[in-house]
Amino acid sequence: NENPLPPAEYTAENTRVYIPDTINIYPQFSGVVLGDDIGVKETWDNSDIGQCFSITGSDNSQLKIELGDVLPGNYKLFVSYVEQPGGCKVSLWQRQTQISKTVSSSGDKPVVKEVLAGNIRITELNNSVTLRLHTTGESNKFLWRKLMLVKDSD
């Protein structure tokens, strides 16, 4: 019983490891650290919204999102969220540096938004991003769908 195929030869020319340039970070699979006076509840909507974190808090409440499993490098950071009645303003930070403009998540009806937040550099020691809520009165909610990281070509 002889094998009709010769044994495979693996070389640099005929093998390659594919590393994607886009990474989606979904809240339900993320390591998060809750700051003071913040509440997080997982929600599900069968429309195009899908599974999200419904975040409520007071002004300057923070939610730190761990990115320790992301390879070091420079990335464009996008955030996907839902505009909704009672939506607050939110900004994204890496340590003490604001990386996004403050954007409003307030709207008359639920609408999915995906916006470029800014550029970040992930290193072994600098591997997280923080959502900071900016609330006023009843506008104290943020519906977070996901983060998207797109690796810059170095």
Side-chain angles (χ1 to χ4, degrees):
N1 226 351
E2 204 171 302
N3 187 350
L5 298 175
E9 291 185 33
Y10 299 102
T11 65
E13 289 79 32
N14 68 9
T15 60
R16 187 168 75 171
V17 175
Y18 174 74
I19 299 175
D21 69 343
T22 303
I23 302 165
N24 289 304
I25 311 288
Y26 294 95
Q28 62 270 27
F29 303 120
S30 301
V32 296
V33 178
L34 302 178
D36 292 334
D37 197 24
I38 193 165
V40 176
K41 182 174 80 171
E42 194 172 334
T43 64
W44 175 258
D45 186 310
N46 285 326
S47 66
D48 61 346
I49 295 172
Q51 197 166 8
C52 301
F53 270 10
S54 179
I55 303 167
T56 56
S58 60
D59 200 36
N60 285 319
S61 292
Q62 298 179 17
L63 179 76
K64 181 179 176 183
I65 304 158
E66 302 292 342
L67 303 173
D69 293 334
V70 176
L71 292 174
N74 296 317
Y75 294 86
K76 287 184 179 15
L77 174 65
F78 295 83
V79 63
S80 178
Y81 63 94
V82 178
E83 282 186 350
Q84 63 179 333
C88 66
K89 293 181 180 178
V90 66
S91 57
L92 286 131
W93 295 69
Q94 191 173 35
R95 295 199 179 220
Q96 289 80 27
T97 304
Q98 186 170 350
I99 56 175
S100 75
K101 294 187 284 186
T102 301
V103 296
S104 174
S105 69
S106 179
D108 295 333
K109 61 181 183 171
V111 176
V112 174
K113 294 287 186 173
E114 292 184 353
V115 298
L116 173 63
N119 297 310
I120 64 170
R121 178 167 180 75
I122 296 178
T123 66
E124 188 176 312
L125 297 176
N126 198 5
N127 54 15
S128 65
V129 67
T130 301
L131 284 170
R132 186 175 292 179
L133 305 183
H134 306 280
T135 66
T136 54
E138 295 297 312
S139 297
N140 65 346
K141 301 179 202 110
F142 185 69
L143 200 53
W144 171 41
R145 291 185 66 230
K146 65 181 175 178
L147 295 180
M148 293 160 287
L149 296 166
V150 179
K151 185 133 172 59
D152 286 344
S153 55
D154 296 326

